[in-house]
């Protein structure tokens, strides 16, 4: 598709010329943006919050928070004090550098205080999405050997505290918390805590955050990021988000996912920008109201959300004054050209696609305000990063050939290990010097990258990454299920939905009630977003001779495609 004449991002842009910067850029030049370049003392939370609290930005609003019940704001100075208090609360139960502190709760100011407080102690933060059910919570706390958890009374029911020997303390954020055993009242301790805290200085390569994410096989894996990632969080927040001093920025992602931390916490605050956090569920009215109320100027969201807004109709948008928005971005799934055209029409702005992964820690292939956009393309690699399409031997392919989307190893925010699984970590780098993403794509003559699909079976549903193996494992725990195979089925709004093929055990009959029961079983065991929207029963599922479900064949059935090579299939 050709470059379209689309309305541009408003204002002066931070990145003035893509070509020129890409030709000359060196990451070491970003170091001077941080206080450690002169003091030698490193800590992400200090750079994101305290540095501004000690400057003339101290009275600037750092956080606007609202949900159905709360409506609050905190300046950088107040954020500094509240995160110091949270740090002291965590310290009081012995949290030290390197300990894993997990945060399992819906968005709230306390979530942000705890994340920052833990980081100030040099602890490694593990954010958990509030929708996780017991099985998902257990896997993550067990694998990471988490020492402390911060959660709410409602979510505590899903934490198998007694089965987790490493979990020493569980802080509850709620009213009238009954302290007993490992349970402690977070808010009470916050009030008693000092707002002064001695920060634990760390090495740039020390652990910062652990995000669990799904692959096509095995349990979810803990992707470890380090403090050094701040170089890229900061620089991409400047070039890609185009953040400037007077911006009001809203990233709609939950901190349970990497977008909600890299660009919901670190990126904007490293730039000293006002950050909007809206709690509660998605509704088009609520989102437009949020944009209007805070006069949001830079807005980072996802294709599924844009498609849902699009289907809510253009009349609704017109009821709001959204004239402050000057720059819009998207991440997580392919951004359809149709959505870009809709954005141009209703916001009079183009939507900028960005590509990256939990493992990459920060944006890598993007569209920039100063660059032409080709709707449907993810854009071009950020300056300082080399991306290429390679074949399975590591040869770089010429333009317009589809292959593995790969990144030359060594960008600042690259994951540093998979927790407890160095072998898995190494498997990403098996092709000489390249990080192989698992996505297939091609690059055109002008160096724009075009997403084609996942090479493995990972499902992206409504922007959330779901591993089919995790869902299949849960399904076969249900007494009626003998075998299960799970695929992503294309869906116009959600990108993909989860579809399960199931073979029943002897003595079970298929019925609508059983479908509902199985779906609820996954919902309760794993998470609502991991439950199959469609379930189809089959006598038998296609398997390899070694007994592996052939998802590729299920997908071919579903899409009416040829099934391809079946030589490994059992008789
Ligand atoms: C997909 C989210 C198309 C891709 C930050 C990748 C995308 C996976 C895009 C990572 C995009 C992300 N266009 N696909 N702009 N951005 N993806 O780890 O398949 O939740 O590998 O990270 O999302 O998902 P994750």
């Amino acid at each position: 598709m050709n470059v379209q004449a689309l309305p541009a991002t408003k204002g002066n842009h931070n990145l003035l010329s893509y070509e020129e910067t890409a030709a000359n850029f060196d990451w070491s030049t970003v170091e001077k943006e941080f206080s450690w370049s002169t003091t030698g003392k490193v800590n992400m939370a200090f750079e994101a919050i305290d540095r501004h609290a000690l400057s003339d930005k101290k009275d600037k609003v750092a956080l606007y928070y609202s949900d159905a019940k709360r409506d609050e704001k905190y300046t950088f100075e107040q954020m500094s004090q509240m995160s110091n208090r949270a740090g002291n609360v965590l310290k009081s139960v012995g949290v030290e550098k390197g300990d894993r502190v997990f945060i399992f709760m819906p968005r709230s100011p306390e979530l942000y205080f705890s994340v920052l407080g833990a980081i100030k102690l040099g602890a490694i933060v593990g954010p958990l999405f509030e929708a996780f059910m017991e099985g998902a919570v257990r896997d993550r706390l067990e694998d990471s050997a988490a020492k402390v958890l911060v959660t709410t009374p409602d979510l505590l029911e899903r934490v198998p505290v007694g089965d987790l020997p490493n979990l020493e303390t569980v802080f509850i954020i709620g009213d009238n918390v009954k302290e007993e055993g490992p349970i402690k009242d977070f808010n009470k301790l916050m009030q008693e805590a000092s707002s002064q805290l001695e920060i634990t200085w760390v090495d740039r390569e020390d652990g910062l955050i652990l995000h669990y994410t799904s692959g096509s096989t095995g349990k979810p894996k803990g992707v470890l990021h380090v403090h050094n990632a701040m170089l890229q969080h900061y620089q991409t927040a400047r070039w890609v988000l185009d953040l400037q001093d007077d911006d009001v920025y809203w990233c709609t992602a939950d901190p349970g996912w990497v977008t909600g931390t890299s660009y919901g916490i670190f990126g904007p605050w490293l730039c000293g920008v006002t950050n909007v956090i809206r709690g509660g569920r998605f509704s088009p009215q609520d989102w437009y109201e949020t944009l209007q109320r805070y006069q949001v100027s830079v807005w980072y969201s996802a294709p599924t959300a844009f498609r849902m807004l699009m289907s809510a109709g253009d009349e609704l948008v017109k009821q709001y004054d959204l004239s402050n928005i000057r720059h819009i971005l998207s991440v997580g799934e392919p951004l359809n050209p149709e959505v870009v055209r809709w954005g141009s029409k209703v916001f009079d702005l183009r939507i900028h696609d960005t590509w990256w992964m939990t493992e990459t820690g920060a944006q890598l292939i993007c569209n920039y305000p100063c660059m032409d956009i080709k709707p449907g393309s993810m854009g071009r690699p950020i300056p300082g990063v080399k991306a290429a399409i390679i074949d399975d031997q590591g040869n770089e392919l010429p333009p317009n050939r589809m292959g593995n989307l790969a990144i030359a190893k060594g960008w600042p925010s690259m994951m540093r290990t998979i927790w407890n699984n160095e072998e898995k970590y190494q498997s990403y780098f098996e092709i000489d010097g390249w990080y192989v993403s698992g996505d297939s794509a091609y690059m055109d003559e002008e160096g724009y990258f075009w997403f084609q699909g996942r090479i493995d079976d990972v499902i992206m549903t409504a922007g959330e990454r779901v591993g089919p193996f995790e869902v299949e494992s849960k399904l076969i725990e249900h007494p009626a299920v003998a075998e299960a195979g799970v695929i992503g089925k294309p869906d116009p709004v959600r990108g993909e939905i989860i579809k399960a093929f199931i073979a029943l055990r002897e003595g079970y009959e298929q019925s609508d009630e059983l479908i509902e029961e199985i779906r609820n079983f996954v919902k309760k065991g794993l998470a609502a977003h991991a439950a199959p929207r469609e379930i189809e029963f089959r006598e038998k599922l296609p398997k390899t001779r070694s007994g592996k479900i052939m998802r590729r064949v299920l997908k071919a059935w579903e899409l009416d495609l040829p099934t391809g090579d079946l030589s490994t299939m059992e008789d």
Side-chain angles (χ1 to χ4, degrees):
M1 191 185 299
N2 287 329
V3 179
Q4 315 260 316
L6 293 165
T9 296
K10 296 178 199 160
N12 300 322
H13 309 146
N14 291 335
L15 180 64
L16 295 174
S17 160
Y18 173 78
E19 276 80 12
E20 222 176 286
T21 309
N24 300 309
F25 180 72
D26 177 346
W27 283 107
S28 66
T29 59
V30 187
E31 295 176 10
K32 68 174 187 318
E33 303 295 339
F34 304 107
S35 47
W36 47 258
S37 68
T38 50
T39 63
K41 293 175 174 170
V42 178
N43 190 302
M44 170 70 95
F46 179 85
E47 298 298 330
I49 300 295
D50 300 63
R51 181 171 49 117
H52 307 303
L54 295 167
S55 77
D56 54 8
K57 283 202 174 134
K58 76 180 170 57
D59 296 323
K60 178 176 177 173
V61 174
L63 172 67
Y64 281 117
Y65 178 85
S66 66
D67 59 30
K69 291 189 196 129
R70 298 174 69 172
D71 187 0
E72 294 162 26
K73 63 178 179 197
Y74 298 88
T75 63
F76 277 102
E77 188 172 51
Q78 289 168 326
M79 282 305 285
S80 168
Q81 291 165 349
M82 294 310 271
S83 54
N84 281 348
R85 283 176 189 268
N88 280 318
V89 171
L90 295 168
K91 200 173 171 182
S92 72
V93 299
V95 170
E96 287 176 3
K97 186 171 154 188
D99 286 342
R100 273 77 63 210
V101 173
F102 272 62
I103 319 272
F104 177 40
M105 64 171 123
R107 272 164 274 183
S108 72
E110 290 73 23
L111 186 158
Y112 295 85
F113 306 154
S114 323
V115 166
L116 294 164
I119 293 173
K120 285 184 170 181
L121 300 179
I124 298 171
V125 172
L128 293 180
F129 187 46
E130 62 177 293
F132 284 142
M133 304 304 285
E134 180 169 329
V137 174
R138 176 197 299 265
D139 282 347
R140 288 158 176 82
L141 295 178
E142 222 163 52
D143 183 65
S144 62
K147 179 169 171 177
V148 170
L149 177 72
V150 185
T151 188
T152 62
D154 294 348
L155 297 183
L156 179 63
E157 290 169 18
R158 305 185 200 157
V159 186
V161 180
D163 300 349
L164 297 164
N166 294 295
L167 189 62
E168 292 173 11
T169 308
V170 179
F171 287 107
I172 306 291
I173 298 183
D175 302 325
N176 310 316
V177 175
K178 211 163 127 231
E179 295 195 313
E180 98 192 315
I183 307 284
K184 295 215 178 304
D185 182 340
F186 185 82
N187 285 340
K188 187 189 91 192
L189 293 165
M190 276 291 275
Q191 275 168 16
E192 295 164 1
S194 160
S195 60
Q196 304 292 314
L197 173 73
E198 208 170 305
I199 288 198
T200 303
W201 303 111
V202 298
D203 188 89
R204 278 159 66 180
E205 288 299 314
D206 280 334
L208 168 76
I209 197 160
L210 194 53
H211 273 290
Y212 278 83
T213 191
S214 304
S216 54
T217 55
K219 293 214 175 204
K221 41 186 197 268
V223 171
L224 182 74
H225 289 292
V226 298
H227 287 254
N228 190 60
M230 75 174 85
L231 270 83
Q232 199 168 335
H233 293 152
Y234 172 84
Q235 195 54 53
T236 52
R238 290 290 189 213
W239 284 335
V240 185
L241 304 179
D242 197 38
L243 290 182
Q244 299 168 18
D245 259 1
D246 43 12
D247 275 318
V248 176
Y249 167 77
W250 184 30
C251 167
T252 60
D254 187 274
W257 312 114
V258 73
T259 309
T261 57
S262 292
Y263 295 104
I265 298 179
F266 306 131
W269 281 333
L270 286 169
C271 294
V273 161
T274 300
N275 201 7
V276 172
I277 304 291
R278 174 75 183 159
R281 296 184 72 118
F282 169 87
S283 91
Q285 286 82 353
D286 189 72
W287 276 33
Y288 288 138
E289 248 162 56
T290 302
L291 289 165
Q292 172 179 276
R293 172 168 180 220
Y294 295 107
Q295 307 193 342
V296 170
S297 58
V298 179
W299 179 32
Y300 198 10
S301 195
T304 296
F306 292 126
R307 287 190 294 260
M308 295 202 284
L309 292 174
M310 195 165 92
S311 61
D314 298 356
E315 281 313 303
L316 183 66
V317 197
K318 289 188 193 136
Q319 295 169 19
Y320 298 88
D321 175 8
L322 306 180
S323 56
N324 278 90
I325 308 178
R326 64 173 194 86
H327 185 36
I328 310 180
L329 305 104
S330 171
V331 64
E333 329 148 52
L335 179 65
N336 331 60
E338 191 193 342
V339 176
V340 178
R341 283 191 288 271
W342 166 79
S344 305
K345 189 174 66 175
V346 300
F347 304 117
D348 196 26
L349 288 167
R350 54 192 207 184
I351 303 178
H352 295 71
D353 195 11
T354 65
W355 177 92
W356 56 294
M357 305 174 66
T358 306
E359 292 88 336
T360 72
Q363 296 159 339
L364 285 179
I365 298 179
C366 301
N367 290 283
Y368 313 88
C370 65
M371 190 178 87
D372 284 334
I373 276 185
K374 304 186 188 192
S377 163
M378 312 187 286
R380 298 168 76 181
I382 61 168
V385 161
K386 179 174 164 64
I389 304 300
I390 62 171
D391 65 16
D392 292 343
Q393 285 69 48
N395 304 304
E396 281 184 54
L397 297 176
N400 301 319
R401 291 264 308 275
M402 201 167 124
N404 299 296
L405 173 56
I407 311 291
K409 196 175 169 176
W411 63 97
S413 67
M414 189 177 85
M415 63 173 168
R416 294 302 199 265
T417 192
I418 299 287
W419 198 260
N420 283 335
N421 198 345
E422 183 61 19
E423 203 181 315
K424 176 79 207 170
Y425 178 70
Q426 294 302 340
S427 73
Y428 284 89
F429 303 96
E430 269 161 7
I431 306 181
D432 234 23
W434 293 102
Y435 164 81
V436 180
S437 67
D439 285 359
S440 65
Y442 69 88
M443 185 185 77
D444 67 19
E445 291 88 355
E446 290 175 298
Y448 283 69
F449 285 77
W450 300 75
F451 179 83
Q452 299 295 294
R454 284 293 302 180
I455 287 162
D456 58 22
D457 301 322
V458 169
I459 301 166
M460 292 300 292
T461 179
E464 279 155 21
R465 183 166 156 185
V466 176
F469 179 81
E470 216 183 340
V471 183
E472 288 163 359
S473 309
K474 185 48 72 183
L475 283 168
I476 56 175
E477 285 174 21
H478 188 280
V481 178
E483 288 173 349
V486 165
I487 60 165
K489 173 181 173 179
D491 179 84
V493 174
R494 293 183 168 76
E496 288 183 307
I497 57 162
I498 300 175
K499 168 147 191 178
F501 288 86
I502 286 176
L504 289 174
R505 279 183 196 281
E506 287 274 324
Y508 286 91
E509 293 285 324
Q510 60 183 67
S511 68
D512 289 348
E513 291 79 57
L514 184 58
I515 290 183
E516 217 24 59
E517 188 189 311
I518 293 175
R519 193 180 290 135
N520 273 325
F521 182 76
V522 179
K523 247 186 218 171
K524 292 218 176 77
L526 225 47
H529 65 267
R533 280 195 173 248
E534 280 186 24
I535 292 179
E536 187 175 322
F537 295 109
R538 293 275 176 148
E539 281 287 303
K540 231 172 150 224
L541 299 186
K543 287 198 295 286
T544 60
R545 293 202 181 95
S546 58
K548 226 175 134 210
I549 304 276
M550 295 176 84
R551 299 187 190 114
R552 163 173 77 79
V553 176
L554 296 175
K555 203 139 192 176
W557 283 356
E558 184 61 41
L559 303 176
D560 259 333
L561 293 171
T563 41
D565 178 12
L566 295 180
S567 57
T568 58
M569 189 150 107
E570 66 172 8
D571 300 333

